[in-house]
Amino acid sequence: MTLFGAFKSTALISWKSSGKLQQTIAKCIERTGKGLHSGKAATVRISPEFAGEGRYFSFRSELIPASIDFSVESPLCTTLSKEGHSIRTVEHLLSSLEATGVDNCRIEICSFDSDDLSAEVPIFDGSAREWVEAIEQVGLQVARDRVGNCREKMAPFLNEPVYVQKNESFVAAFPSPEVHISYGINFHQVPAIGCQWFFSASMVNSFYAKQIAPSRTFCIYAEVEQMRNAGLIKGGSVENAIICSTSRGWLNPPLRFQDEPCRHKVLDLIGDLSLLARCGSQGLPVAHIVAYKELIDKLDRL
């Protein structure tokens, strides 16, 4: 069983009220930037949406729900696909929307390549800070459905422990009255990173905005050529990632946090788990989630 398969199991999850109403953004957000892997520019326009509609992408007239049902396997990023159309690197944007409480929104992506059936969400500085600041600027409002009614926001509560392992990496989750995340990484081949653990005492909006969203994606310098030969990180640079050498340490300091790589893994995890949301519900399971990632396969991402 996969992690998502476990969380989708009706025996392991109970959908209960979060005690909140569904929300959407108060005004439109529009940002343009370059994709990390494709290197191509795209414009993202996020619009308010009715309660119950959830989060979904609009690309070349195709509507792609931000749901695990449309997630496809891809290296080093999270990709959604439907009817031959795909959106890559959605995890930072979805992480921001989930953590700040944007339950319903339309995410329209305009690619400047008219023949390409694939688009990529801009990477900006490699973190989620750009998206969080944009959401904070426009604010949130209670979402109403198409007949004008508010809707209760449901949340998935974990009923019993679940554990998934791949090689030396794993994700486990335990029943908890609140969301907590503990994440560890062990990059023992890269001394400047080494073994790190990050614990979230709370997942309220302000904690995410200050402690998780600013953390940037990172890579190992020795892997750069290998990733580019695989058709990845065509848009990567020192402006949108922190780069670490096995012998020289961080090549573009300073770090925003001493454990910035580990915090960024938490950011990605929240984005991936947001795909469990449905019809404007919370995606992040109410549980204590414990994850551990060990560097073995250089192109693998748990």
Side-chain angles (χ1 to χ4, degrees), residues 8-228:
K8 286 177 69 177
S9 170
T10 55
L12 296 178
I13 290 290
S14 294
W15 289 89
K16 303 177 184 178
S17 173
S18 67
K20 302 175 183 177
L21 295 175
Q22 292 186 23
Q23 299 183 112
T24 187
I25 52 175
K27 297 179 181 178
C28 291
I29 294 171
E30 185 171 307
R31 295 290 186 274
T32 299
K34 182 172 61 174
L36 173 63
H37 295 298
S38 66
K40 297 179 180 180
T43 295
V44 176
R45 181 178 176 84
I46 309 173
S47 305
E49 186 51 283
F50 292 111
E53 298 297 321
R55 298 181 287 254
Y56 63 92
F57 289 85
S58 173
F59 177 55
R60 303 206 187 287
S61 301
E62 191 68 53
L63 303 184
I64 309 175
S67 164
I68 186 58
D69 295 329
F70 296 91
S71 177
V72 295
E73 190 170 339
S74 59
L76 296 178
C77 69
T78 302
T79 299
L80 299 173
S81 181
K82 181 183 175 187
E83 302 295 334
H85 296 73
S86 62
I87 309 294
R88 301 171 71 187
T89 321
V90 300
E91 57 269 30
H92 297 178
L93 171 56
L94 293 180
S95 180
S96 304
L97 295 170
E98 174 74 17
T100 57
V102 182
D103 309 307
N104 304 276
C105 64
R106 175 189 178 97
I107 309 165
E108 184 176 1
I109 295 194
C110 178
S111 172
F112 294 94
D113 185 345
S114 59
D115 298 323
D116 199 346
L117 295 182
S118 175
E120 186 173 16
V121 176
I123 190 66
F124 300 121
D125 70 348
S127 76
R129 187 164 63 180
E130 178 89 11
W131 294 119
V132 170
E133 290 179 349
I135 294 166
E136 290 176 342
Q137 287 173 7
V138 301
L140 303 181
Q141 63 183 10
V142 172
R144 297 182 179 275
D145 62 23
R146 295 181 182 273
V147 295
N149 296 322
C150 302
R151 287 202 186 182
E152 190 175 31
K153 179 176 179 177
M154 306 299 286
F157 283 74
L158 187 66
N159 295 325
E160 58 185 78
V162 60
Y163 178 86
V164 178
Q165 182 172 357
K166 182 179 180 181
N167 299 323
E168 299 302 317
S169 303
F170 70 84
V171 178
F174 306 90
S176 170
E178 297 179 338
V179 176
H180 296 287
I181 298 176
S182 301
Y183 207 123
I185 60 173
N186 187 2
F187 284 35
H188 54 86
Q189 305 97 320
V190 189
I193 298 177
C195 185
Q196 304 177 2
W197 279 92
F198 178 78
F199 306 92
S200 70
S202 169
M203 283 307 300
V204 296
N205 296 2
S206 58
F207 179 86
Y208 178 88
K210 295 177 181 179
Q211 303 298 328
I212 298 175
S215 59
R216 294 161 292 177
T217 192
F218 66 99
C219 70
I220 312 305
Y221 180 72
E223 297 179 3
V224 169
E225 183 177 358
Q226 181 185 2
M227 288 189 286
R228 285 188 169 156

